[in-house]
Amino acid sequence: MLEIKLLRENLELVKTAMQNRGTAIDWEAFQTHDARRKTILCELEELRRQRNHVSDQVARMKRSGENADAIIEKMRDVSVTIKRLEKDLGVSESVIDEIIMAMPNIPHDSVPVGRDETDNPVIKTVGEPTTFTYDPLPHWTIGENAGILDFARAAKIAGARFPLYLGVGARLERALINFMLDLHTREHGYQEVLPPFIVNRKTMTGTGQLPKFEEDLFKLEGLDYFLIPTAEVPVTNIHQAETLDVSRLPITYTAYTPCFRSEAGSYGKDTRGLIRQHQFNKVELVKFVRPETSYGELESLLDNAETVLRRLELPYRVISLCTGDIGFSAAKTYDIEVWMPAQHVYREISSCSNFEDFQARRTNIRFKEKGKKGTRLVHTLNGSGLAVGRTLAALLENGQREDGTVIIPHVLRPYMGGMEKIAP
RNA sequence: GGAGAGGUGGCCGAGCGGCUGAAGGCCCCGCUCUCGAAAAGCGGUAUCCUGCCAAAAGCGGGAUCGUGGGUUCGAAUCCCACCCUCUCCGCCA
């Protein structure tokens, strides 16, 4: 969430940012209730001051054995008024709160202004799109031919948009997870964590999935629990309501989790294959950093994610999301897109974002510097490192050969018991 | 699921209706002592909002003792609900 001071002191800046994002806000309601809040609060604090003062007096009189009935009687009215004002204040505050909680982050100055994904500039392209002497097969055909993916049986078990990996396929998925975790922990210095896959409402609100995007989530019937759509949610909330010592920063975590998404509103999109599933695996990177360093940390986070693709020898490109396409909580986002030969397109395989203090304010994560007064909010970042199902899909499509075999990248072979290729 | 105990500041821990934002201790930070360090002594040390102020400092006001309600002139303290932790019993991967 945004700092309310920013809205009061720099409303035009925020309005422009919301416009660039294409988000409509009820500014009138905000201003009405903010003004009302202030009026009530002034009055309320004055009455509370009186009450505190008189209470003190009563205490002193009682101690010295005097009769305080007269002033106690007088305070009765004040007390009633205080209760009434507190109620009124609560109403205005919850209206303000509702508006602010539904308000997205302000994009960083370096974020290109644009309407939708067609306006996202390409930052760089790494590697050349894989070329074939024949029409490359889609990964679902390769996977089904090789007997390592079975979407029909997955549909019997759960329904559409669920994966079933078999044999070498299951092992390859696990190999990818292990390879990514090993890379990030051993070479990039992240600490591995394995968090809960179900979280409560407060946690889901902290990272920004709630209150606005409840329909995108799987909710447990009758309980206030949700399946996580990404490890970002539980991992960022590890330090919920904590004040960290500055010497601990940056804190960097990597986590493997399954991710669950309802994919509401994506009917008919990417219906085949591993691209858009209700359940998929992901290795996530999360950072808690000092504000001064967060944009540098975003670049290194991006590089950490890119390293996975480079080691796997997959061609990819990096784009910068424009103001109209950037996520709710993010101030800046890079997407990494991997080359998918069968569809002849680059597909998102990682999303790396700096949230600045947006999530830190919601989750109340601060840090304290020695010798300095007060605390400051940390900046949080996260990125996929990478989406595992999509990575496997990319490996199948890019590594396929005309005879139906798929070459396993060198870095994965130790994780596959030395296996060099998948044969149908 | 049944029975009990408990949630207080960075940490430990006292308080159980009024002079308590909270004793005492630890940690940490200054200073004294020392060639330096340790020890000892002295002092300081929560957060958020807000008013005065250009700002900082400073001074003033409000809030915060798991969360939310209630009782009361007044609540860390009493009552209710919820959340969490711990112990014992049962069940269970």
Side-chain angles (χ1 to χ4, degrees), chain A residues 184-202:
Chain A
H184 296 313
T185 54
R186 291 178 190 166
E187 297 186 40
H188 300 150
Y190 291 77
Q191 190 188 353
E192 182 173 351
V193 296
L194 183 60
F197 303 157
I198 294 175
V199 300
N200 60 32
R201 180 172 292 274
K202 186 178 183 185

Side-chain angles (χ1 to χ4, degrees), chain A residues 177-178 180-182 184-185 189-197 228 230-239 248 251-258 282-288 382:
Chain A
I177 294 167
N178 286 334
M180 290 178 196
L181 287 174
D182 286 346
H184 296 313
T185 54
Y190 291 77
Q191 190 188 353
E192 182 173 351
V193 296
L194 183 60
F197 303 157
I228 57 168
T230 156
E232 161 194 354
V233 175
V235 176
T236 305
N237 277 281
I238 287 175
H239 295 295
R248 292 184 63 190
I251 296 173
T252 60
Y253 294 122
T254 183
Y256 152 74
T257 71
K282 184 155 61 70
V283 169
E284 186 76 358
L285 304 170
V286 176
K287 291 186 179 188
F288 302 82
N382 70 57

Side-chain angles (χ1 to χ4, degrees), chain A residues 32-82:
Chain A
T32 306
H33 282 278
D34 191 46
R36 192 172 299 166
R37 189 199 69 92
K38 173 134 192 170
T39 312
I40 298 171
L41 195 62
C42 278
E43 202 179 332
L44 186 59
E45 290 199 347
E46 168 57 21
L47 290 178
R48 291 211 271 229
R49 189 191 63 78
Q50 271 180 40
R51 186 182 67 183
N52 290 344
H53 180 74
V54 172
S55 286
D56 240 42
Q57 233 176 307
V58 171
R60 242 175 286 129
M61 289 170 81
K62 291 235 165 167
R63 248 178 285 120
S64 62
E66 287 175 70
N67 185 309
D69 289 356
I71 60 173
I72 286 176
E73 189 53 44
K74 236 177 68 192
M75 287 319 288
R76 220 171 293 244
D77 284 350
V78 175
S79 205
V80 169
T81 312
I82 286 176

Side-chain angles (χ1 to χ4, degrees), chain A residues 218-237:
Chain A
F218 282 114
K219 184 173 190 306
L220 298 202
E221 177 96 40
L223 298 168
D224 221 15
Y225 282 133
F226 301 84
L227 301 185
I228 57 168
T230 156
E232 161 194 354
V233 175
V235 176
T236 305
N237 277 281

Side-chain angles (χ1 to χ4, degrees), chain A residues 256-319:
Chain A
Y256 152 74
T257 71
C259 302
F260 303 92
R261 299 187 182 178
S262 75
E263 293 297 343
S266 64
Y267 306 110
K269 244 196 207 165
D270 310 312
T271 50
R272 302 206 65 182
L274 290 171
I275 299 303
R276 193 173 298 276
Q277 302 275 293
H278 287 310
Q279 177 189 322
F280 62 95
N281 296 309
K282 184 155 61 70
V283 169
E284 186 76 358
L285 304 170
V286 176
K287 291 186 179 188
F288 302 82
V289 308
R290 297 181 62 234
E292 293 76 14
T293 66
S294 68
Y295 280 91
E297 294 282 1
L298 177 61
E299 297 301 321
S300 72
L301 179 71
L302 174 67
D303 189 63
N304 295 154
E306 283 182 55
T307 300
V308 179
L309 287 166
R310 287 197 297 262
R311 298 274 173 97
L312 293 173
E313 304 162 62
L314 290 168
Y316 67 92
R317 66 178 191 182
V318 177
I319 61 173

Side-chain angles (χ1 to χ4, degrees), chain A residues 242 244 249 287-291 356-361 365-367 376-380:
Chain A
E242 288 182 27
L244 306 163
L249 302 180
K287 291 186 179 188
F288 302 82
V289 308
R290 297 181 62 234
E356 298 188 0
D357 62 14
F358 188 86
Q359 293 180 327
R361 187 170 293 108
I365 304 173
R366 305 172 162 274
F367 71 99
R376 295 168 67 199
L377 295 163
V378 300
H379 279 192
T380 61

